[in-house]
Amino acid sequence: MQPLELSAIDLVAAVANGDLTAVECTQAALDRIAALDPGTNAFLHVDQASALAAAEAVDAKRAAGKPLGPLAGLPVGVKDALCTRDMPTTCASKMLEGYQPPYDADTVARLRAADAVIIGKTNMDEFAMGASNENSAFGPVRNPWDATRATGGSSGGSAACVAASMSTVSIGSDTGGSIRQPAGLCGVTGLKPTYGRVSRRGLVAFASSLDQIGPMAHSAADCGLVLETIAGHDPLDSTSLDEMVPSYTQMLEEPLAGIRIGRVPAHFGEGLDPEVAAAVEEGFRVLEAAGATIHDIDLPHAKYGVATYYLIAPSEASSNLARYDGVHYGHRTSEPCRSDAFDSPLVEMYCRSRAEGFGPEVKRRIMLGTYALSAGYYDAYYKRALQVRRLIRQDYLDAFAKVDLIGGPVSATPAFPLGEKTDDPLAMYLLDLYTVTTNLAGVCGISFPCGFTGSGLPIGYQLQAPALAEPLLLRAADRFQRLTEWHRRRPPSA
Amino acid sequence: MPEPTDNAAPYTTVIGLEVHVQLLTKTKLFCSCENRFGAPPNTLTCPVCLGLPGSLPVMNREAFRLAVRAATALDCTIAEFTKWDRKNYFYPDLPKGYQVSQFDLPFSEHGQLEAIDPKGAFEPRMVRILRVHLEEDAGKSMHDESAGTADSRIDLNRTGTPLLEIVSEPDLRSPAEARCWLGELRLLLVYLGVSDCNMQEGSLRVDANVNLHIPKADGSLAKTPIVEIKNMNSFRSVERALTYEVVRQYEEWQATGKELGSAPKQTRGWDDAAGITRGQRHKEESSDYRYFPEPDLVPVTLTVDEIAAIREGMPESPRALRKRLEETWKIPAYDADVLVGQGRALVEYFETLARLVDDGKVASNWMQQDVLRTLNEQGIAIDAFPVAAAGLADVIGRVKKGDFDTSRGREIFAEMIASGRSAEEVVAAMGIAAVGDDELMALCRELVEANPKIVADVQSGKQQAAGGLIGQAKKKNPNVNPGQVRGLCLKIIGELPAP
Ligand SMILES: [Zn+2]
């Protein structure tokens, strides 16, 4: 039995009934990483010894007849934005190179408690800022479907490691599309849960009011399995929702008959790649075949989504990233700081440390956010953005009064060549067009493959659901995957 | 226009205070680290207060409760909805690069607190309070700039401890008023149990804003530029710094004529040893803190009922307590002020004592003369005082009954304090016993009979000769009251047939 060809649900069952050991699963993942990752660069850190030790502990538990956790033996890649007490957590930044947190993120702790095996930390855009994974200080991730192309981002490593079957599932974070967009470009399934559904504690903050951790896998059902473990109230995260966690995987059987799916005609306007448009339209047909009805709806303020997002997210980021100042931890300049060009040696130390530690996109967003929050600009930018955010939220409430789900594209194009957009930040920001409003509204969304281009690149389909409607969201995506084979395709290298 | 308080001064002094008070919570404002002064540096920290990546704040409800109590006692309006904001600035003792504070929606506003001088040096002054808000404290930077090393050390134990910021309107009119008002504020907060208000340990910090309104010859008013004074580490230095600054501003105005608006607000530091304020380096521009709502915390809501419940649970304020002591125990305002100023436990001791001896004034006298003196001498609080109110009441009762006089009573009380024994035991040990009337009469007759010479002297008009009888009486029985012996002996001699 090839562990990495199994779904997460089947792998966990195989470990539980003794058909596979956790060590076999872990070793398979480690072997594959050793073989493929030099070309992919999906992982920033892999600790074979500790992964195998965790797997051995799971096997010993089983041997001793003790009950196993719900994810026993499951190889998981974790985005390097989540704190791990036994592995570095760098956010793909020189600023945090070598930084090792003294605690586990809530999600990491829940994964460990469920007997999952954390196989390594995955590559990402620096501090989760980017849509191509080219902003990593440790090199871009290469798309497993075409190594000359980007994976999307910012959870590019988490998407690629699942796409290339280097781990069965992975954990990403989604602030404006950072799970769904790379999932779409890499042909995997990625879920952005409702804001507050998964604790943010231990997720290195990019934009606190938008960040949300979520699972990535080959199927919606596997995403549901992981979500059952990582979702739940965390009293140490004030924004965490105190709501019961349903058994997502037990709620997939009900057919889609009577489910109303919204389609936003504006999504199919200029800029949408024709092959993507065709595949997404075909996606609606699949859902229709499953019993859903399709209804054209309008999200009138969605067109301001990108502008709104690029005021709110950088504003919060400019504050969240102020702590990387070279004083207590992280990168500090080795320059002597005695230049007259600065107000004081302290200010010089701040400036040099941050100039050296942050990459260009991070600096750009810190400047954008600092500007938007400045006296005299706050009302025109940040405050106005909050007002538009409320309108977008209301759009979603209005839409979800008419339909149960909203379908559509994840990205306007399939995976683009590395380097194509790196000199054009605005083009890069527009990649978030279809995904940012989900975060601004705080609802949930999922992306899964709905076809391939003629040249063999995956195309993603996005579904969005109201807050806490993950059961329906997963059920619809699972139904889609019962009727299609797109999610079973693997890259040629795999 | 504010009225001048000092008729002699050619200007009105205008003072507003900004007070920061650390709250007496077990744990910090947004994490579960201990909130305690004096621990070894950086031992009371965790990922949250260290601002480590990924850490998140959770509000300490107890801190919020204490803050609402304080604001309620200050007559503030309590908001039903309040939120947190980030105040962004870089400093090494601020590990997150921002302070969680309250900007546009503080939890309370529009209060008032009166400054009353018990000696009546100035008219009672009602001072409006602009706002009271809650925020997290920063850590402490210690700069060692000796030997040109400019070494800085940072202690983050204080980082994230709950801090109440109380901002007054510029309603104070003299340095003495400012000092008095601060004293009343401190007493109130200590009575509420929200803070220990220890300026030496930094749990109460004061910044003062001051300027002068100077009537000009043309009838208009010149206002001097506002100066903010920092680095004052006692109420006395607040008064001294303000007194210095008032004179300095007047002289500067006379020399330069500079008025408010022609110069930016200046910050001056108080140098206690030199007794002067010094201009501090201007921060570039005025700082832009880029306040925005803290996305890691949820807004705090209080219902009208919750606010009412807090109001009902408020203890008696020092002001109300003074008034009640004056009325209930018929003691002067000065006495009430001294007693209340010593804290609630001492007032309770006093009231128990006053009840037991059924005499407020006598109780107050004993408190001020004997109890307070001992507390001061021994540097202890009333909780550590060795004699309970009932013990002191016992002594006072015996004095009232005439067992012994007040000075003897004070000796007995001093011995009770020193030995921890009861009045009964001390009286017995000192051989003190009440001398009965018959016993005293018998003694005096015996003395008169045994001293014909003294009797003759008295009879010849030398009344002072009776002193000899008193000396002998004391030898025979040390408990006799000299005045009584003298009176009785003279009476017996007077009744003898004339020689
Ligand atoms: Zn702490």
Side-chain angles (χ1 to χ4, degrees):
Chain A
M1 197 180 285
Q2 236 317 318
L4 295 169
E5 287 174 9
L6 298 176
S7 71
I9 290 173
D10 290 346
L11 182 143
V12 167
V15 170
N17 64 30
D19 292 343
L20 278 173
T21 64
V23 168
E24 282 171 332
C25 299
T26 303
Q27 193 59 58
L30 292 172
D31 289 349
R32 234 179 129 71
I33 290 167
L36 294 180
D37 208 41
T40 307
N41 201 25
F43 283 93
L44 292 177
H45 183 86
V46 176
D47 184 342
Q48 302 217 7
S50 78
L52 285 169
E56 280 161 12
V58 173
D59 290 336
K61 210 168 167 182
R62 187 176 184 280
K66 292 183 191 154
L68 293 182
L71 300 183
L74 182 68
V76 186
V78 174
K79 189 176 183 176
D80 206 31
L82 279 81
C83 289
T84 43
R85 69 191 319 162
D86 54 355
M87 282 180 261
T89 298
T90 69
C91 280
S93 179
K94 234 188 114 183
M95 184 56 91
L96 285 176
E97 192 166 5
Y99 172 74
Q100 189 156 316
Y103 73 107
D104 276 339
D106 183 67
T107 291
V108 171
R110 286 174 189 259
L111 288 170
R112 293 193 207 272
D115 289 331
V117 175
I118 294 170
I119 218 87
K121 303 296 288 291
T122 60
N123 203 347
M124 56 187 281
D125 281 303
E126 185 180 1
F127 284 103
M129 297 177 190
S132 72
N133 216 122
E134 292 167 288
N135 297 334
S136 167
F138 309 114
V141 185
R142 295 178 177 277
N143 195 311
W145 294 90
D146 178 348
T148 68
R149 289 177 187 264
T151 52
S154 67
S155 309
S158 293
C161 78
V162 172
S165 300
M166 291 187 275
S167 74
T168 310
V169 300
S170 65
I171 300 295
S173 70
D174 190 318
T175 306
S178 283
I179 286 175
R180 291 159 291 155
Q181 186 253 18
L185 301 192
C186 291
V188 302
T189 304
L191 171 68
K192 185 214 94 78
T194 305
Y195 182 76
R197 178 75 286 191
V198 178
S199 168
R200 291 185 297 117
R201 182 162 53 89
L203 170 66
V204 180
F206 160 19
S208 312
S209 74
L210 300 160
D211 293 343
Q212 182 59 201
I213 292 169
M216 302 172 87
H218 280 299
S219 69
D222 282 358
C223 284
L225 176 73
V226 176
L227 186 63
E228 283 169 13
T229 287
I230 65 173
H233 182 235
D234 176 6
L236 297 180
D237 172 359
S238 310
T239 61
S240 160
L241 296 173
D242 191 0
E243 298 282 345
M244 194 264 295
V245 178
S247 303
Y248 301 106
T249 51
Q250 306 300 310
M251 300 167 77
L252 301 173
E253 294 309 316
E254 199 184 333
L256 284 192
I259 296 298
R260 300 160 301 169
I261 298 180
R263 176 187 173 279
V264 183
H267 283 169
F268 295 86
E270 205 185 334
L272 186 65
D273 180 284
E275 279 186 289
V276 173
V280 171
E281 293 287 24
E282 184 53 32
F284 281 108
R285 301 291 83 74
V286 173
L287 291 165
E288 219 166 16
T293 53
I294 311 299
H295 308 265
D296 276 358
I297 56 155
D298 191 17
L299 296 171
H301 300 93
K303 56 179 174 287
Y304 306 119
V306 170
T308 304
Y309 175 83
Y310 277 97
L311 287 169
I312 292 174
S315 293
E316 293 182 15
S318 71
S319 176
N320 282 333
L321 272 63
R323 68 191 66 200
Y324 309 110
D325 57 7
V327 176
H328 297 281
Y329 54 84
H331 177 75
R332 182 192 291 184
T333 185
S334 49
E335 297 291 320
C337 295
R338 285 189 214 108
S339 157
D340 291 335
F342 295 85
D343 280 4
S344 69
L346 176 65
V347 170
E348 181 173 5
M349 191 280 284
Y350 285 149
C351 292
R352 288 192 187 281
S353 300
R354 288 167 68 82
E356 294 164 7
F358 289 137
E361 183 58 29
V362 172
K363 286 177 194 165
R364 182 178 295 120
R365 296 204 194 183
I366 289 173
M367 287 189 283
L368 273 173
T370 303
Y371 185 83
L373 290 176
S374 297
Y377 299 100
Y378 181 92
D379 286 352
Y381 296 113
Y382 181 76
K383 196 173 164 195
R384 179 63 59 89
L386 290 187
Q387 289 164 343
V388 178
R389 182 178 186 174
R390 274 194 287 277
L391 295 174
I392 290 172
R393 231 177 251 225
Q394 190 57 47
D395 281 358
Y396 271 89
L397 288 175
D398 295 345
F400 285 130
K402 298 186 193 108
V403 295
D404 303 297
L405 296 164
I406 298 171
V410 185
S411 315
T413 67
F416 45 89
L418 287 165
E420 187 187 79
K421 298 178 200 284
T422 42
D423 294 332
D424 188 353
L426 208 56
M428 197 73 93
Y429 294 173
L430 287 170
L431 292 174
D432 299 329
L433 183 66
Y434 301 116
T435 48
V436 287
T437 49
T438 320
N439 302 74
L440 290 169
V443 299
C444 55
I446 193 167
S447 157
F448 49 84
C450 65
F452 282 78
T453 64
S455 57
L457 295 172
I459 296 170
Y461 185 92
Q462 176 175 233
L463 277 176
Q464 300 174 79
L468 292 174
E470 282 88 355
L472 173 61
L473 188 70
L474 288 164
R475 197 176 108 211
D478 174 69
R479 188 58 56 170
F480 187 101
Q481 291 178 334
R482 292 185 192 202
L483 295 172
T484 57
E485 294 290 324
W486 307 116
H487 64 291
R488 297 191 194 281
R489 281 212 198 171
R490 296 291 178 268
S493 62
Chain B
M1 179 189 142
E3 74 280 18
T5 47
D6 181 352
N7 292 333
Y11 49 75
T12 301
T13 303
V14 179
I15 299 168
L17 299 175
E18 194 176 299
V19 183
H20 285 92
V21 178
Q22 282 188 321
L23 297 181
L24 274 176
T25 53
K26 284 196 184 67
T27 57
K28 294 186 181 183
L29 184 51
F30 297 118
C31 63
S32 53
C33 289
E34 224 186 313
N35 174 19
R36 176 160 60 85
F37 179 83
N42 298 306
T43 54
L44 306 177
T45 60
C46 74
V48 176
C49 54
L50 291 176
L52 294 188
S55 61
L56 293 173
V58 177
M59 188 189 77
N60 177 347
R61 273 259 152 205
E62 175 63 8
F64 192 74
R65 197 186 66 83
L66 290 184
V68 172
R69 260 169 86 85
T72 303
L74 290 168
D75 265 351
C76 287
T77 309
I78 308 297
E80 289 171 46
F81 177 94
T82 184
K83 69 177 173 68
W84 302 98
D85 298 283
R86 290 189 186 176
K87 178 181 181 178
N88 295 283
Y89 66 94
F90 286 94
Y91 205 70
D93 62 18
L94 190 72
K96 296 194 297 292
Y98 58 83
Q99 177 193 29
V100 179
S101 181
Q102 299 198 282
F103 181 53
D104 55 339
L105 295 174
F107 78 88
S108 73
E109 290 179 287
H110 310 311
Q112 57 179 8
L113 178 69
E114 197 170 31
I116 302 173
D117 182 28
K119 295 183 190 118
F122 55 84
E123 288 296 301
R125 175 76 63 191
M126 185 59 89
V127 177
R128 291 167 301 152
I129 289 162
L130 177 65
R131 59 185 274 159
V132 179
H133 77 245
L134 189 54
E135 62 189 24
E136 57 176 345
D137 207 345
K140 271 188 225 165
S141 298
M142 283 150 284
H143 303 290
D144 175 9
E145 282 166 21
S146 60
T149 57
D151 206 8
S152 290
R153 290 167 189 284
I154 300 161
D155 177 7
L156 297 180
N157 283 350
R158 199 178 71 181
T159 310
T161 55
L163 199 59
L164 203 62
E165 182 178 304
I166 301 162
V167 184
S168 89
E169 297 278 8
D171 289 349
L172 291 156
R173 291 292 168 265
S174 74
E177 283 183 24
R179 181 180 183 170
C180 173
W181 188 79
L182 284 170
E184 186 66 10
L185 178 65
R186 172 168 65 182
L187 193 62
L188 178 66
L189 297 175
V190 169
Y191 263 74
L192 289 171
V194 301
S195 176
D196 59 17
C197 292
N198 184 330
M199 274 186 102
Q200 271 64 48
E201 293 180 0
S203 63
L204 187 151
R205 288 164 244 161
V206 182
D207 297 331
N209 285 290
V210 55
N211 75 337
L212 308 177
H213 291 185
I214 309 166
K216 290 197 281 197
D218 64 2
S220 67
L221 201 61
K223 296 180 180 179
T224 58
I226 295 173
V227 167
E228 180 174 10
I229 314 175
K230 291 181 175 291
N231 304 342
M232 299 168 291
N233 56 12
S234 68
F235 289 171
R236 189 168 162 269
S237 30
V238 172
E239 186 175 6
R240 287 178 67 209
L242 284 166
T243 304
Y244 172 87
E245 184 59 25
V246 165
V247 174
R248 192 200 64 78
Q249 281 190 24
Y250 189 60
E251 287 171 359
E252 186 177 86
W253 178 78
Q254 285 178 311
T256 68
K258 264 200 187 149
E259 294 190 19
L260 187 66
S262 67
K265 179 170 152 180
Q266 199 195 355
T267 301
R268 297 179 71 88
W270 171 245
D271 181 334
D272 206 59
I276 58 169
T277 63
R278 290 181 213 275
Q280 294 186 334
R281 201 170 67 92
H282 284 285
K283 289 178 191 167
E284 67 277 13
E285 312 276 317
S286 66
S287 305
D288 180 358
Y289 292 118
R290 289 172 284 118
Y291 280 101
F292 76 105
E294 160 62 295
D296 285 333
L297 287 163
V298 289
V300 188
T301 52
L302 277 179
T303 64
V304 177
D305 290 347
E306 284 170 317
I307 295 170
I310 289 171
R311 200 174 291 282
E312 271 164 34
M314 292 300 287
E316 198 172 23
S317 73
R319 185 187 167 170
L321 184 54
R322 280 187 207 105
K323 202 156 178 273
R324 186 169 65 73
L325 293 187
E326 284 173 42
E327 284 169 4
T328 309
W329 301 110
K330 311 279 182 273
I331 57 172
Y334 179 84
D335 284 27
D337 188 69
V338 170
L339 293 172
V340 171
Q342 296 294 318
R344 195 180 300 280
L346 185 124
V347 171
E348 276 165 20
Y349 188 103
F350 161 74
E351 290 210 81
T352 307
L353 182 64
R355 250 190 309 277
L356 290 172
V357 302
D358 195 24
D359 188 334
K361 184 58 194 162
V362 166
S364 175
N365 288 346
W366 279 82
M367 290 300 295
Q368 318 233 12
Q369 284 170 32
D370 298 85
V371 179
L372 285 184
R373 200 194 58 225
T374 307
L375 295 180
N376 285 338
E377 281 169 5
Q378 303 191 2
I380 54 169
I382 191 72
D383 335 6
F385 193 69
V387 181
L392 177 51
D394 191 5
V395 176
I396 298 173
R398 288 168 191 254
V399 170
K400 280 194 147 182
K401 223 165 68 189
D403 285 6
F404 36 75
D405 64 358
T406 302
S407 65
R408 194 80 168 125
R410 294 178 70 181
E411 282 170 44
I412 291 165
F413 186 45
E415 181 56 27
M416 288 164 70
I417 294 166
S419 65
R421 284 185 292 180
S422 69
E424 178 106 35
E425 287 165 340
V426 171
V427 165
M430 288 171 83
I432 300 168
V435 182
D437 288 349
D438 294 349
E439 191 184 347
L440 190 65
M441 183 57 89
L443 177 68
C444 288
R445 287 192 190 287
E446 187 188 325
L447 288 171
V448 168
E449 276 169 31
N451 291 281
K453 169 99 176 59
I454 292 176
V455 171
D457 284 350
V458 171
Q459 283 174 329
S460 69
K462 291 183 197 158
Q463 294 246 328
Q464 67 273 26
L469 296 176
I470 296 167
Q472 289 184 45
K474 277 238 158 201
K475 266 186 201 156
K476 284 183 183 290
N477 185 345
N479 295 321
V480 294
N481 181 324
Q484 279 180 312
V485 170
R486 182 190 169 85
L488 262 178
C489 287
L490 289 177
K491 188 170 170 247
I492 294 165
I493 294 170
E495 285 165 3
L496 291 175

Coordinates of all heavy atoms in Angstrom, one line a residue, chain A residues 87 113 494:
Chain A
M87 N 10.5 23.5 16.0 CA 11.0 23.8 14.6 C 11.1 25.3 14.5 O 10.3 26.0 15.1 CB 10.1 23.2 13.5 CG 10.2 21.7 13.3 SD 9.1 21.2 12.0 CE 7.8 20.6 13.0
A113 N -2.1 16.7 19.3 CA -2.9 16.0 20.2 C -3.8 15.0 19.5 O -4.2 13.9 20.0 CB -3.8 17.0 20.9
A494 N 4.7 13.4 -10.3 CA 4.3 12.6 -9.1 C 4.0 11.2 -9.5 O 3.3 10.6 -9.8 CB 3.1 13.3 -8.4

